[in-house]
């Protein structure tokens, strides 16, 4: 299960959305959560230090995702809370396609709070990691 309230809310939102669109719910994967949380922490530190240049996809995600996967995807965003993050991902065609990809089976979520002085203010920077596993 997700390790905190923001991750739990994000997991609930994505599975409600998938079920409403006729797709199977995703399994929560602690290994994917570790990758997502680590990357969110990295982005938080980089954004706080470098500004908006620190907001970027994880170039090493594929090598960090627990072995056995055949497909993976990643969404990143900055927003106020789990609901606002989800709404932004849903409104973006590429992010939405990842959330509604019927071939994905597993999900992990991580987030970190930015400093008030960051270009985005004291919002959450968040990562959704997805993967496909056989069982």
């Amino acid at each position: 299960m997700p390790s905190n309230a923001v991750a739990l809310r994000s997991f609930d939102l994505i599975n409600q959305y998938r079920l409403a669109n006729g797709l199977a719910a995703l399994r929560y994967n602690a290994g994917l959560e570790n990758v997502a949380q680590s990357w969110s922490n990295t982005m938080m530190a980089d954004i706080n230090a470098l500004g908006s240049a620190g907001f970027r996809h994880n170039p090493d995600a594929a090598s960090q995702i627990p072995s056995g996967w055949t497909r993976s995807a990643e969404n990143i965003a900055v927003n106020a809370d789990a609901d606002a993050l989800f709404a932004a991902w849903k409104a973006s065609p590429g992010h939405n396609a990842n959330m509604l990809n019927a071939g994905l089976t597993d999900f992990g979520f991580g987030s970190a709070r930015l400093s008030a002085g960051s270009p985005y203010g004291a919002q959450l920077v968040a990562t959704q990691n997805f993967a496909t596993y056989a069982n």
Side-chain angles (χ1 to χ4, degrees), residues 45-54 56 119:
D46 290 352
I47 291 167
N48 286 337
L50 306 171
S52 59
R56 65 200 185 287

Side-chain angles (χ1 to χ4, degrees), residues 21 27 31 43 46 53 61 63 67 78 89 97 113 125 130 134:
N21 282 277
R27 294 179 298 224
M43 284 194 296
D46 290 352
S63 66
S67 65
V78 175
W89 282 319
R113 180 77 55 195
V125 61
F130 305 87

Side-chain angles (χ1 to χ4, degrees), residues 1-134:
M1 286 307 297
S3 65
N4 62 61
V6 176
L8 180 60
R9 177 69 178 152
S10 297
F11 183 53
D12 288 344
L13 286 168
I14 194 166
N15 276 334
Q16 290 169 18
Y17 186 48
R18 287 174 63 89
L19 292 171
N21 282 277
L23 300 173
L26 296 168
R27 294 179 298 224
Y28 203 80
N29 183 309
L32 289 175
E33 179 183 68
N34 291 339
V35 174
Q37 186 60 56
S38 177
W39 187 246
S40 293
N41 291 342
T42 296
M43 284 194 296
M44 175 197 59
D46 290 352
I47 291 167
N48 286 337
L50 306 171
S52 59
F55 181 68
R56 65 200 185 287
H57 282 279
N58 181 349
D60 300 316
S63 66
Q64 295 168 356
I65 292 172
S67 65
W69 62 273
T70 56
R71 176 183 300 161
S72 69
E74 178 183 77
N75 288 343
I76 61 172
V78 175
N79 222 310
D81 57 30
D83 290 86
L85 289 162
F86 179 76
W89 282 319
K90 191 175 168 184
S92 164
H95 295 103
N96 192 56
N98 285 339
M99 294 194 305
L100 293 179
N101 185 324
L104 295 168
T105 61
D106 288 45
F107 174 80
F109 179 88
S111 64
R113 180 77 55 195
L114 295 166
S115 71
S118 87
Y120 306 104
Q123 295 195 81
L124 292 174
V125 61
T127 307
Q128 291 179 321
N129 281 115
F130 305 87
T132 301
Y133 289 93

